[in-house]
């Protein structure tokens, strides 16, 4: 038993040294392996010696000797129990620490996998601008391999005209001005193509407030920007056509409300577009009293979805009291799915012709 105990002492010292050096996993491996075997063998040997000592004491000792023997054995057993309890406490603590570190490694791996398989680009960049970690989506977005990006700084893939974008934001984050920022800039892909990217970045710091790295999400918004530009161009073409048409154009919805009316209505009637939008009855109110009946009848036909193209000549009295002849043409309009959308109309001044 003494030999086993002496053999356990260097193992115990090695375990304590590993723990002090923060090598808990290695200490746990020793404790649940070789160290645990020594503790078990020592416990078995001590229990055998205890039974042997009690047996011999009963045969050869006097009652007083037996009492003294029981006291010695009890003391020895107490000391042995203390040693075993300390050894088992160390083993349990190291095993629990090893389990916690294993759980931490598993959670870190889970987070790494989630970032790597994310559908948008995710990167870690040090305060100096170098890429520390990039996921597959970011590699696909930029056309560079992961090992290539790890040797680069983000400014190397930034469009020359956008290198200053975000610089003030980064400095603001580094000096405590907020924790997150969003901005747009252009990147140059490996193949030379330009892409528009929406970046959302956060600065992570250690417990002492020292900056560690920027964690950034990157979304390729090139298609969105292209669609926006096309929409703006389409709206501009529509604006030019509608605002600079010579005739008075308008579109009435199924309920008779004005959806659109061209500015040229003011040239013919003296009333601005907003006047007709706010009061659709103004269309009939400016009709000449001699033509009011046929204008009203025509307006009623607008409520029929199956009404065909119609043409009508009638007179109006403009805001200045002058009489003008109008050639009116209208037709029903429908959506691609056949939904009735109202009527599209065009009014032309034919006073000189009359």
């Amino acid at each position: 038993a003494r030999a086993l105990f002496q053999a356990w002492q260097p193992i115990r010292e090695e375990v304590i040294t590993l723990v002090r050096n923060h090598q808990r996993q290695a200490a746990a491996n020793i404790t649940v392996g070789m160290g645990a075997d020594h503790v078990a063998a020592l416990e078995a040997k001590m229990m055998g010696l205890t039974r042997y000592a009690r047996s011999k004491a009963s045969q050869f000792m006097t009652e007083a000797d037996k009492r003294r023997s029981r006291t010695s054995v009890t003391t020895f057993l107490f000391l042995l129990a203390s040693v075993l309890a300390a050894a088992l406490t160390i083993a349990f603590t190291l095993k629990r620490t090893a389990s916690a570190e294993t759980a931490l490694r598993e959670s870190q791996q889970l987070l790494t996998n989630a970032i790597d398989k994310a559908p948008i680009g995710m990167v870690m960049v040090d305060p100096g601008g170098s890429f520390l970690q990039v996921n597959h989506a970011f590699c696909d977005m930029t056309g560079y391999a992961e090992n290539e990006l790890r040797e680069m700084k983000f400014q190397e893939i930034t469009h020359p005209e956008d290198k200053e974008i975000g610089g003030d934001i980064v400095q603001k984050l580094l000096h405590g001005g907020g924790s997150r920022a969003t901005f747009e800039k252009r990147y140059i892909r490996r193949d030379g193509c330009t892409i528009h990217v929406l970046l959302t970045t956060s600065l992570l710091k250690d417990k002492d407030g020292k900056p560690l790295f920027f964690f950034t999400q990157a979304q390729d918004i090139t298609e969105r920007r292209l669609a926006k530009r096309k929409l703006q161009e389409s709206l501009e073409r529509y604006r030019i056509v509608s605002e600079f048409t010579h005739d008075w154009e308008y579109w009435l919805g199924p309920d008779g409300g004005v959806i659109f009316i061209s500015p040229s209505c003011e040239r013919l009637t003296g009333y601005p577009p907003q006047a007709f939008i706010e009061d659709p009855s103004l269309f009939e109110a400016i009709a000449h009293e001699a033509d009011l009946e046929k204008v009203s009848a025509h307006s009623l036909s607008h409520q029929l979805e199956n009404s065909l193209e119609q043409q009508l000549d009638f007179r109006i009295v403009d805001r200045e009291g002058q009489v003008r002849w109008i050639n009116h043409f209208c037709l029903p309009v429908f959506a691609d799915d056949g939904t009735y959308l109202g009527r599209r109309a065009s009014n032309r001044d034919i006073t000189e012709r009359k």
Side-chain angles (χ1 to χ4, degrees), residues 256-273:
V258 178
I259 296 176
F260 166 78
I261 185 167
S262 65
S264 54
C265 68
E266 190 167 4
R267 182 180 61 81
L268 271 69
T269 69
Y271 295 95

Side-chain angles (χ1 to χ4, degrees), residues 52-63 65-66:
Y52 177 78
R54 285 177 176 173
S55 173
K56 291 301 182 181
S58 298
Q59 297 177 12
F60 301 108
M61 296 181 180
T62 63
E63 289 300 322
D65 291 335
K66 289 181 180 181

Side-chain angles (χ1 to χ4, degrees), residues 225-236:
R225 289 291 296 267
L226 180 61
K228 182 179 180 180
R229 187 173 73 236
K230 288 183 175 179
L231 176 60
Q232 290 174 337
E233 291 174 352
S234 176
L235 290 174
E236 181 62 13

Side-chain angles (χ1 to χ4, degrees), residues 25 93-107:
Q25 184 61 53
T93 301
L94 292 175
K95 185 175 181 180
R96 184 172 61 182
T97 302
S99 299
E101 292 184 344
T102 299
L104 178 61
R105 284 196 302 272
E106 290 177 351
S107 64

Side-chain angles (χ1 to χ4, degrees), residues 256-258 261 271-285:
V258 178
I261 185 167
Y271 295 95
Q274 193 63 31
F276 290 93
I277 293 173
E278 294 176 355
D279 182 14
S281 66
L282 185 58
F283 285 100
E284 293 187 29

Side-chain angles (χ1 to χ4, degrees), residues 2-3 18 59 61 102 108 122 129 160 163 199 204 235 330:
R2 180 179 300 170
L18 289 172
Q59 297 177 12
M61 296 181 180
T102 299
Q108 290 174 336
M122 292 188 177
K163 288 187 181 295
L199 301 170
L204 277 73
L235 290 174
C330 64

